[in-house]
Amino acid sequence: MTDLFAELEELRARDLPTHGGRTLAYVYDSGLPEADEIGRRALGMFASTNGLDPTAFPSLAAMERDLIAVAKPLVGAPSEAVGTVTSGGTESILLAVQTARDARPEVTEPVMVVPTTVHGAFHKAAHYFRVGLVPVDVDPVTKRAVPEAVTAALDAHAGRAVLVAVSTPSYAHGVVDPVAPIAAAAAERGVRCHVDACIGGWVLPFLDDPVAWPPGVTSLSVDLHKYAYTPKGVSLLLHRDPALRRPQFFAAAEWPGYTMLNSTMQSTKSGGPLAAAWAVVRHIGVDGYRELAATARRATLRLAEGIAAHPHLRLAAPPDSTLLAVETDAVLDVFTLSDEMLARGWFVQPQMAFRGLPATLHLTLCAATAAGVEDFLAALDEAVAA
Ligand SMILES: *Cc1c(COP(=O)(O)O)cnc(C)c1O
């Protein structure tokens, strides 16, 4: 047994570190060892339970209800809103697209209208569900969706558009799209509007302003395995009311086995990530998340200031949340820079140039990174010089 774990340790040794705050993408570290331990314990306790049938495992249905009840007021959801726990942001988005498509069976060639900065998960949904993707360029300066352009695209695809999406914030640039005017335009045209709050949904509500659910927003996704700092495998998908969610359910009785009734894409699914999220969210609590969000936000602003002052670097946009996108001048290349940072023990994620938007370095700031911000800036200076 010790040999097995030695082997696992050896395999892990080549991975990026998940803790310590020096990996600025993929992982989220609260810097709270007790929260991590609680998550791991709950994950193990429920690892073998099966969300296939919540009547057989009522604990899972209860924990799902509890998490949705915590999330609703945070994202400003109306009281009649309903929610589902999914395996991640991609599954939440896939289901939002599938549900929008299947609510409009009369539309034979459905499309979704999306700002070019939406997450790749929307492209995956387009691919899986044959919903055409209509990309709309964002403002080249603010990197935010342009409501007039989105509305024009909706009108150009009148009768076929089943969904419009916005990000709060976008992964690539960390800016919040103007939700209210886009949701209003969608509602006027009878089109659903999904808010992708996968990465900001557990941060923005804990900063100063209360988060609103503008009229016209029909669904919203928020990942707990990001800024709720829970083990991987948990996101929430909220619908404004039960009728909007209905097409999400899948039932199959036309076979000799058990009647399948699934609310998500998975059938058999571990209750571990759900239980872990339930425990970590309870343990950290609203006040704890407020502190973690403030810490990550302070670190983001300090890094933003350091980067903006650098002669060879600039921000793609001022950060609305806890993500930064860094552009370089002509003498620097983001891929080389990211290699030089990795050589100094920091992982930053290069992002490709796309439709007139320059290549950038992506930084996701977690609470645990805050203590290392000055070290990061020093390493960045060295990496640029190299
Ligand atoms: C992370 C993310 C997703 C996808 O989530 P996964 O959990 O990686 O599947 C979608 N949208 C945004 C804005 C994200 O940051």
Side-chain angles (χ1 to χ4, degrees):
M1 183 155 133
T2 46
D3 283 358
L4 277 178
F5 282 95
E7 263 188 68
L8 287 173
E9 290 289 356
E10 228 229 300
L11 284 167
R12 267 294 278 125
R14 289 186 286 274
D15 293 347
L16 285 172
T18 58
H19 289 78
R22 295 172 75 100
T23 307
L24 282 83
Y26 305 119
V27 300
Y28 300 79
D29 182 6
S30 66
L32 305 172
E34 205 188 12
D36 289 340
E37 177 52 27
I38 285 168
R40 275 194 299 271
R41 242 180 97 186
L43 189 69
M45 253 178 98
F46 282 79
S48 302
T49 60
N50 193 345
L52 169 68
D53 182 354
T55 65
F57 296 93
S59 62
L60 304 182
M63 288 186 287
E64 180 173 46
R65 279 196 300 275
D66 287 348
L67 281 177
I68 298 300
V70 174
K72 277 173 62 174
L74 286 178
V75 298
S79 59
E80 66 276 18
V82 291
T84 314
V85 171
T86 72
S87 64
T90 298
E91 190 182 9
S92 292
I93 288 165
L94 289 175
L95 288 169
V97 174
Q98 173 262 318
T99 304
R101 183 197 69 175
D102 291 348
R104 299 282 302 280
E106 78 287 2
V107 180
T108 50
E109 290 180 51
V111 300
M112 59 178 136
V113 172
V114 297
T116 49
T117 48
V118 289
H119 193 273
F122 288 92
H123 295 262
K124 191 174 191 174
H127 176 70
Y128 278 10
F129 302 133
R130 289 181 190 258
V131 175
L133 191 137
V134 177
V136 181
D137 284 313
V138 296
D139 182 303
V141 177
T142 66
K143 272 82 178 179
R144 294 196 175 109
V146 181
E148 297 74 22
V150 171
T151 306
L154 282 173
D155 288 337
H157 295 83
R160 288 179 62 197
V162 297
L163 183 70
V164 57
V166 286
S167 311
T168 61
S170 61
Y171 181 85
H173 300 109
V175 297
V176 172
D177 286 328
V179 182
I182 291 174
E188 271 172 36
R189 291 158 180 80
V191 174
R192 291 190 185 210
C193 176
H194 181 79
V195 173
D196 179 3
C198 281
I199 202 159
W202 220 261
V203 174
L204 297 175
F206 298 110
L207 298 175
D208 302 337
D209 304 326
V211 169
W213 179 293
V217 170
T218 52
S219 59
L220 177 145
S221 50
V222 48
D223 294 349
L224 299 188
H225 62 200
K226 288 179 179 160
Y227 281 103
Y229 299 105
T230 75
K232 296 287 185 241
V234 186
S235 169
L236 308 179
L237 173 61
L238 304 182
H239 286 279
R240 194 186 56 207
D241 60 55
L244 286 166
R245 181 174 64 174
R246 221 186 129 81
Q248 187 184 310
F249 293 111
F250 177 80
E254 302 296 305
W255 72 302
Y258 57 85
T259 296
M260 233 167 99
L261 178 55
N262 297 155
S263 61
T264 63
M265 302 191 69
Q266 293 177 299
S267 203
T268 282
K269 56 183 172 188
S270 171
L274 165 60
W278 184 91
V280 171
V281 164
R282 280 276 296 268
H283 173 73
I284 295 180
V286 169
D287 290 341
Y289 282 118
R290 197 167 284 134
E291 210 167 299
L292 290 169
T295 302
R297 176 71 180 162
R298 263 197 311 276
T300 306
L301 294 177
R302 172 64 194 117
L303 257 193
E305 184 185 35
I307 287 161
H310 197 289
H312 294 287
L313 304 174
R314 62 183 170 268
L315 296 171
D320 285 338
S321 183
T322 51
L323 314 178
L324 290 172
V326 185
E327 294 176 2
T328 61
D329 66 9
V331 301
L332 280 175
D333 161 76
V334 294
F335 295 90
T336 311
L337 199 50
S338 121
D339 288 347
E340 291 293 336
M341 285 300 281
L342 195 57
R344 287 163 181 80
W346 292 93
F347 178 81
V348 294
Q349 189 177 50
Q351 302 184 129
M352 304 276 209
F354 174 68
R355 274 171 77 124
L357 302 168
T360 51
L361 282 180
H362 171 98
L363 317 177
T364 288
L365 277 293
C366 295
T369 304
V373 165
E374 301 308 323
D375 289 348
F376 179 94
L377 286 169
L380 191 59
D381 263 342
E382 284 180 29
V384 171

